[in-house]
Amino acid sequence: MLKKLISVSLLVSLVGCGGTSDDKQTSSTSVTVEETTSSVSFYIAPWQAQSGTLTLVNDNTGNIENIDVANINSVTLPAGALNFHRVEFVSDGATLPCPSFAGCGRTFRDNPYDENSNRRIDYQEQMDMTLSYRADFLAAPGENKLYLSPVSSLISDDNLDITLQSVSATPFYHLTHSQLNDNLEAELLTNALTFGVILKRAADIELSLTTSSSAVVEQQAQLESLQLYRTYADRYVSENLLNVKGNQLLQSVVGEVKQKLASIGEAQNIKQRTLTEQQLHSKELLEDVRNILGVARLQEQKYSDELSQKLTEFVDIADNESQQTLIVLANVLYDVIYNFSPLNDTEAGIYTLQGLTINYQESPYSWVISGQYDNHEVQLDLNIPQWRISGLLGNQVSGVMNAKVIGTDTQLSVDVSDLVLSFDGTDDPFANDQSETTGQLTIATNVTLENEISTLNGDISLAANRFVTPFEELVTVLSGFDFKGQLVSENQITPFSLQAIEATPFIDEASTNIVFAVQLELPLNGANDLQFAYVGSLARLTEITNANIALRLKNRALEINLRSVGNNINAVIKGAQGRWLDVKQKGRNYSGGLYFGDTQIADVTAVRGVPGILFSDGTFESLF
């Protein structure tokens, strides 16, 4: 329940009638003593035993609590409001089950946990592994929830400010009152990060089995391994979307989870966190909101002209046609290798396929491909010296490629770039039986996309699902990609990170439900360090009327949820440490409040038509 702090001046005026001056003084003093309370609850991923010892340290008072808990995920404790705390959970369990449907790699002979004696740790077979669960946090008024993982331990142990990298108001492992609806996203992100650490350690163990290896098995999460954790965490996402036993709740928040994983995994030069004493009545969020109004003009329901132009250019170059050129590239590579390669003992020679001419040579294996494919002009030179076809280790082809795929308005280019093709979902992706050539195809390379206005260049990892439709057609549907690079045009040079993921990648669905997660570094006039983050339909990136966005400006991150119907606007702006602002506009009337956690510290109102914040001491601050 929200706790609204009554205006002192209003309360004095109410009790002043009929009282003495002593009465007034007594009443005024009693209401200035404002008390807030805080609580904290916890979550860890489902694989480690949830019983153990919980330690909560209040850094402000030095108080230490040690508690034996039967289930950490069911515990709620009081915490000193506005105090900094450190929490650690030590699980009773010394083992955990392999969380990956694909297994956790090789193991040593006669491992007692290897139930089928195949010298592999299969799904749900046990591993000797203990993970760390720690976090630092400021107890905002009201409910706080901490999502503990080895990555939260790493960030807290090194006292890092991850909010700037992830463009989030609070660290990814800490939700406060205004964010509790994001509980599902936070749980699944925690699962993915924990999964990533487990599989990274399992890979270390597998590597250490080689007698010639000097590999060291990681015992604690390391900052330099963040990218690898992210890579393995992405597997958690794809496995749960593609497997009938997976967590289907992921579909509703997959864009948000992918964006957080990318921002954490790509984080570099993370700044140290600065701890400053927090005051309940602070205007810092109001100042942050004013800073971003020149960029996101909430009162006008639009972005600034400069930002709008840059976002429009990004949408235009990353549109459906660009995505189609990527699919054409994937299909050409697959179909050529499937039909003309040493895999089916094809002799060197010149061949044709669906409008393409293929000059295939041996020693080394090379292809020169040209022609029309699916209404696109294709020119492709390919050299593949390495082949690996294995149901156990995974199917992979690697080489070097030059390519051009030209559509109506967009051209895709690959300029002497390394190429890796990976296949998942079938023991032999090139089987003669077409119904067996299904599964997921992954392409990793460097590409350039160009239209008349701008160019995107960067490293891409693209996944496509191939399946046979009820009409017995073998089709390819783009199931997602990660694309990181630069957008270059006459108006901008913008670093970008773009994730796209098919939220419902079910077999025999030829339609797609792609969710996009975009993060852009967009220096503007007067806003040199602006970062912009968005999750949703790419076609709506430039719209602010109904949007969930995050902005970083002047080393401060804000999360903004904006909804509008006609002239009615509802904006919720979340800031650092659990502060948030709720603004409702209905015509010329404004309402809402400024909050810290569950405690309202000021009203949103309008004075002579000017919207602003009315604080409990009678001070009025214009909002815009």
Side-chain angles (χ1 to χ4, degrees):
M1 181 178 293
L2 296 178
K3 298 173 288 187
K4 182 174 180 179
L5 302 179
I6 302 175
S7 166
V8 175
S9 58
L10 175 61
L11 194 58
V12 169
S13 66
L14 290 174
V15 300
C17 299
T20 66
S21 59
D22 289 337
D23 293 332
K24 294 178 185 178
Q25 181 64 39
T26 301
S27 298
S28 176
T29 302
S30 65
V31 296
T32 57
V33 179
E34 297 161 354
E35 294 185 359
T36 61
T37 59
S38 298
S39 65
V40 57
S41 54
F42 311 92
Y43 176 83
I44 68 169
W47 302 296
Q48 194 94 67
Q50 295 174 352
S51 63
T53 302
L54 178 66
T55 301
L56 180 65
V57 180
N58 186 319
D59 291 336
N60 292 67
T61 66
N63 183 58
I64 300 175
E65 294 182 74
N66 290 301
I67 306 167
D68 291 330
V69 299
N71 185 342
I72 180 65
N73 290 356
S74 300
V75 172
T76 301
L77 298 176
L82 307 186
N83 287 179
F84 289 97
H85 298 74
R86 181 169 180 79
V87 65
E88 180 174 13
F89 172 68
V90 178
S91 171
D92 286 338
T95 65
L96 51 78
C98 170
S100 172
F101 296 121
C104 292
R106 293 187 299 119
T107 186
F108 56 88
R109 189 184 302 275
D110 298 327
N111 183 341
Y113 299 131
D114 182 11
E115 297 176 5
N116 57 1
S117 301
N118 65 349
R119 296 192 65 183
R120 293 182 61 82
I121 296 298
D122 299 314
Y123 175 57
Q124 292 190 329
E125 288 185 338
Q126 294 291 315
M127 297 182 288
D128 287 318
M129 193 177 298
T130 302
L131 303 179
S132 59
Y133 303 96
R134 295 186 294 276
D136 289 341
F137 71 103
L138 174 83
E143 185 177 350
N144 298 261
K145 188 150 189 180
L146 297 180
Y147 297 82
L148 306 177
S149 71
V151 181
S152 74
S153 303
L154 164 64
I155 298 300
S156 297
D157 290 348
D158 290 355
N159 193 37
L160 302 176
D161 186 356
I162 196 66
T163 60
L164 299 181
Q165 302 288 338
S166 58
V167 196
S168 57
T170 57
F172 63 86
Y173 57 81
H174 181 198
L175 296 187
T176 61
H177 177 82
S178 67
Q179 303 164 306
L180 295 177
N181 288 337
D182 298 331
N183 178 64
L184 176 61
E185 174 192 335
E187 284 190 7
L188 294 175
L189 176 64
T190 302
N191 291 355
L193 290 170
T194 305
F195 179 103
V197 172
I198 293 172
L199 261 65
K200 164 62 168 65
R201 197 175 298 181
D204 289 348
I205 293 171
E206 180 172 9
L207 188 59
S208 70
L209 297 177
T210 305
T211 55
S212 60
S213 172
S214 58
V216 176
V217 178
E218 197 175 76
Q219 298 302 314
Q220 296 289 331
Q222 304 293 324
L223 190 61
E224 57 269 22
S225 296
L226 276 180
Q227 178 60 58
L228 286 171
Y229 302 150
R230 180 265 177 110
T231 299
Y232 288 117
D234 279 339
R235 274 184 54 181
Y236 172 84
V237 174
S238 61
E239 283 190 16
N240 279 273
L241 289 177
L242 290 167
N243 195 296
V244 293
K245 297 180 181 179
N247 188 341
Q248 299 305 312
L249 294 175
L250 180 60
Q251 295 174 9
S252 63
V253 293
V254 65
E256 290 81 0
V257 171
K258 284 282 289 183
Q259 185 174 72
K260 285 290 196 307
L261 288 175
S263 61
I264 294 168
E266 295 169 4
Q268 295 179 352
N269 302 318
I270 308 174
K271 293 183 178 180
Q272 292 285 302
R273 186 175 57 150
T274 302
L275 303 181
T276 57
E277 183 179 353
Q278 296 294 306
Q279 301 296 326
L280 184 64
H281 290 274
S282 169
K283 299 178 182 178
E284 65 177 59
L285 179 57
L286 178 57
E287 295 168 359
D288 293 340
V289 171
R290 285 170 173 164
N291 285 335
I292 61 99
L293 287 178
V295 174
R297 296 174 180 168
L298 304 183
Q299 70 276 30
E300 301 174 33
Q301 301 186 54
K302 68 176 186 178
Y303 295 118
S304 70
D305 293 342
E306 185 182 5
L307 177 56
S308 182
Q309 181 184 35
K310 291 185 174 183
L311 293 177
T312 298
E313 289 183 353
F314 184 83
V315 171
D316 288 345
I317 190 62
D319 63 2
N320 289 335
E321 184 174 339
S322 293
Q323 296 166 39
Q324 189 60 36
T325 63
L326 293 169
I327 292 177
V328 168
L329 176 64
N331 276 334
V332 169
L333 289 170
Y334 191 100
D335 286 340
V336 168
I337 295 174
Y338 170 71
N339 287 283
F340 313 106
S341 75
L343 295 170
N344 55 9
D345 297 324
T346 306
E347 295 182 359
I350 298 176
Y351 301 89
T352 59
L353 175 71
Q354 298 184 36
L356 297 175
T357 299
I358 301 113
N359 187 340
Y360 165 55
Q361 300 298 322
E362 299 175 336
S363 300
Y365 299 111
S366 65
W367 295 255
V368 177
I369 304 161
S370 62
Q372 291 284 325
Y373 189 100
D374 197 14
N375 298 317
H376 288 69
E377 182 183 344
V378 175
Q379 302 169 22
L380 193 150
D381 292 347
L382 180 63
N383 289 274
I384 297 182
Q386 180 179 333
W387 301 83
R388 188 183 76 194
I389 304 299
S390 167
L392 182 63
L393 299 177
N395 309 299
Q396 190 176 91
V397 178
S398 59
V400 177
M401 175 174 66
N402 283 329
K404 280 191 188 324
V405 178
I406 303 173
T408 304
D409 299 311
T410 304
Q411 175 175 299
L412 178 150
S413 303
V414 179
D415 186 14
V416 194
S417 178
D418 290 339
L419 167 73
V420 176
L421 302 178
S422 302
F423 305 89
D424 188 23
T426 175
D427 285 341
D428 185 355
F430 305 108
N432 291 325
D433 181 359
Q434 191 180 68
S435 65
E436 292 299 319
T437 63
T438 60
Q440 189 174 74
L441 163 70
T442 300
I443 299 175
T445 191
N446 182 278
V447 303
T448 299
L449 291 167
E450 300 175 77
N451 63 17
E452 291 183 358
I453 298 173
S454 54
T455 299
L456 284 182
N457 173 260
D459 294 324
I460 191 167
S461 175
L462 178 149
N465 287 336
R466 289 175 65 91
F467 56 87
V468 178
T469 71
F471 303 102
E472 298 186 351
E473 291 181 296
L474 182 65
V475 299
T476 301
V477 173
L478 182 66
S479 60
F481 58 82
D482 286 359
F483 195 5
K484 181 178 174 63
Q486 275 195 334
L487 166 65
V488 179
S489 75
E490 184 178 324
N491 300 308
Q492 61 180 312
I493 299 176
T494 297
F496 72 87
S497 176
L498 172 63
Q499 292 79 46
I501 186 73
E502 165 62 72
T504 55
F506 300 120
I507 292 296
D508 293 350
E509 277 195 7
S511 59
T512 57
N513 178 23
I514 299 287
V515 177
F516 291 89
V518 183
Q519 192 163 322
L520 305 169
E521 296 181 27
L522 287 160
L524 305 178
N525 290 328
N528 293 331
D529 66 336
L530 176 68
Q531 285 199 19
F532 176 97
Y534 165 87
V535 175
S537 167
L538 197 61
R540 296 177 183 171
L541 177 66
T542 59
E543 300 175 10
I544 196 174
T545 50
N546 289 282
N548 293 316
I549 61 173
L551 298 173
R552 190 189 90 178
L553 187 62
K554 296 184 178 180
N555 284 328
R556 305 279 287 185
L558 296 178
E559 298 174 35
I560 303 172
N561 178 284
L562 191 67
R563 295 291 177 266
S564 61
V565 179
N567 292 325
N568 299 334
I569 304 173
N570 185 12
V572 175
I573 304 173
K574 304 169 188 176
Q577 311 292 4
R579 300 181 188 275
W580 60 290
L581 175 65
D582 179 28
V583 180
K584 296 179 177 68
Q585 178 188 356
K586 189 173 184 180
R588 295 176 58 84
N589 298 319
Y590 287 83
S591 61
L594 179 64
Y595 300 84
F596 195 170
D598 72 345
T599 301
Q600 185 173 351
I601 61 177
D603 285 317
V604 173
T605 188
V607 175
R608 296 191 179 96
V610 178
I613 310 296
L614 180 63
F615 289 90
S616 58
D617 62 359
T619 302
F620 179 80
E621 296 270 359
S622 170
L623 182 58
F624 301 130

XYZ file of all heavy atoms in Angstrom, residues 191-201 228-230 232-233 236:
146
model
N 17.688 -16.762 -14.303
C 17.864 -18.143 -14.766
C 18.894 -18.211 -15.894
O 19.772 -19.073 -15.906
C 16.538 -18.707 -15.259
C 15.537 -18.941 -14.145
O 15.844 -18.766 -12.966
N 14.322 -19.306 -14.524
N 18.758 -17.294 -16.867
C 19.654 -17.315 -18.022
C 21.096 -17.055 -17.608
O 22.026 -17.736 -18.078
C 19.198 -16.279 -19.047
N 21.326 -16.070 -16.741
C 22.682 -15.762 -16.304
C 23.284 -16.913 -15.506
O 24.464 -17.262 -15.674
C 22.679 -14.480 -15.466
C 22.393 -13.183 -16.232
C 22.180 -12.025 -15.255
C 23.518 -12.859 -17.199
N 22.481 -17.519 -14.631
C 22.967 -18.659 -13.849
C 23.272 -19.835 -14.768
O 24.307 -20.503 -14.629
C 21.915 -19.048 -12.792
O 21.591 -17.902 -11.989
C 22.440 -20.157 -11.896
N 22.385 -20.098 -15.720
C 22.604 -21.126 -16.747
C 23.917 -20.867 -17.471
O 24.715 -21.776 -17.711
C 21.413 -21.077 -17.703
C 21.439 -22.039 -18.850
C 20.654 -23.186 -18.821
C 22.181 -21.787 -19.997
C 20.634 -24.065 -19.905
C 22.182 -22.658 -21.072
C 21.398 -23.803 -21.022
N 24.173 -19.602 -17.823
C 25.403 -19.257 -18.532
C 26.652 -19.568 -17.735
O 27.644 -20.084 -18.275
N 26.623 -19.267 -16.438
C 27.780 -19.550 -15.586
C 27.978 -21.060 -15.439
O 29.104 -21.564 -15.484
C 27.609 -18.877 -14.205
C 28.710 -19.316 -13.247
C 27.615 -17.352 -14.354
N 26.875 -21.794 -15.276
C 26.977 -23.258 -15.141
C 27.604 -23.869 -16.399
O 28.526 -24.696 -16.314
C 25.585 -23.869 -14.882
C 25.057 -23.447 -13.510
C 25.646 -25.392 -14.973
C 23.608 -23.848 -13.262
N 27.124 -23.461 -17.571
C 27.654 -24.052 -18.806
C 29.083 -23.603 -19.087
O 29.880 -24.374 -19.642
C 26.743 -23.709 -19.982
C 25.773 -24.851 -20.341
C 24.793 -25.097 -19.192
C 25.023 -24.551 -21.625
N 29.442 -22.395 -18.697
C 30.843 -21.960 -18.840
C 31.738 -22.838 -17.969
O 32.812 -23.297 -18.398
C 30.973 -20.494 -18.445
C 32.405 -19.987 -18.180
C 33.300 -20.074 -19.412
C 34.605 -19.303 -19.206
N 35.462 -19.866 -18.154
N 31.324 -23.106 -16.749
C 32.138 -23.952 -15.867
C 32.165 -25.394 -16.382
O 33.198 -26.067 -16.303
C 31.601 -23.899 -14.429
C 32.607 -24.396 -13.413
C 32.121 -24.239 -11.987
N 31.891 -22.849 -11.627
C 31.477 -22.449 -10.421
N 31.254 -23.356 -9.469
N 31.290 -21.167 -10.164
N 31.257 -14.638 -22.408
C 30.974 -16.074 -22.501
C 29.706 -16.434 -21.742
O 28.922 -17.270 -22.210
C 32.161 -16.871 -21.962
C 33.387 -16.916 -22.877
C 34.566 -17.538 -22.153
C 33.077 -17.690 -24.157
N 29.494 -15.819 -20.564
C 28.241 -16.081 -19.839
C 27.049 -15.692 -20.706
O 26.041 -16.391 -20.744
C 28.195 -15.292 -18.530
C 29.331 -15.564 -17.574
C 29.783 -14.570 -16.703
C 29.957 -16.805 -17.515
C 30.821 -14.792 -15.829
C 30.993 -17.047 -16.643
C 31.433 -16.031 -15.794
O 32.466 -16.246 -14.925
N 27.173 -14.559 -21.380
C 26.080 -14.099 -22.242
C 25.839 -15.097 -23.374
O 24.685 -15.416 -23.708
C 26.417 -12.711 -22.796
C 25.329 -12.108 -23.720
C 25.635 -12.380 -25.181
N 24.620 -11.908 -26.089
C 24.758 -10.905 -26.898
N 25.898 -10.221 -26.912
N 23.784 -10.548 -27.720
N 26.423 -18.346 -23.476
C 25.741 -19.530 -22.951
C 24.331 -19.185 -22.475
O 23.402 -20.004 -22.604
C 26.545 -20.154 -21.817
C 27.799 -20.863 -22.271
C 29.060 -20.434 -21.865
C 27.732 -21.976 -23.103
C 30.220 -21.080 -22.278
C 28.886 -22.637 -23.525
C 30.124 -22.180 -23.110
O 31.256 -22.824 -23.534
N 24.147 -17.984 -21.921
C 22.813 -17.566 -21.473
C 21.850 -17.463 -22.644
O 20.651 -17.755 -22.508
C 22.899 -16.236 -20.728
N 20.111 -20.592 -23.163
C 18.944 -20.795 -22.301
C 17.690 -20.264 -22.988
O 16.627 -20.905 -22.982
C 19.153 -20.090 -20.963
C 17.918 -20.081 -20.078
C 17.625 -21.164 -19.264
C 17.038 -18.996 -20.071
C 16.500 -21.177 -18.459
C 15.913 -18.993 -19.275
C 15.640 -20.084 -18.473
O 14.509 -20.092 -17.694
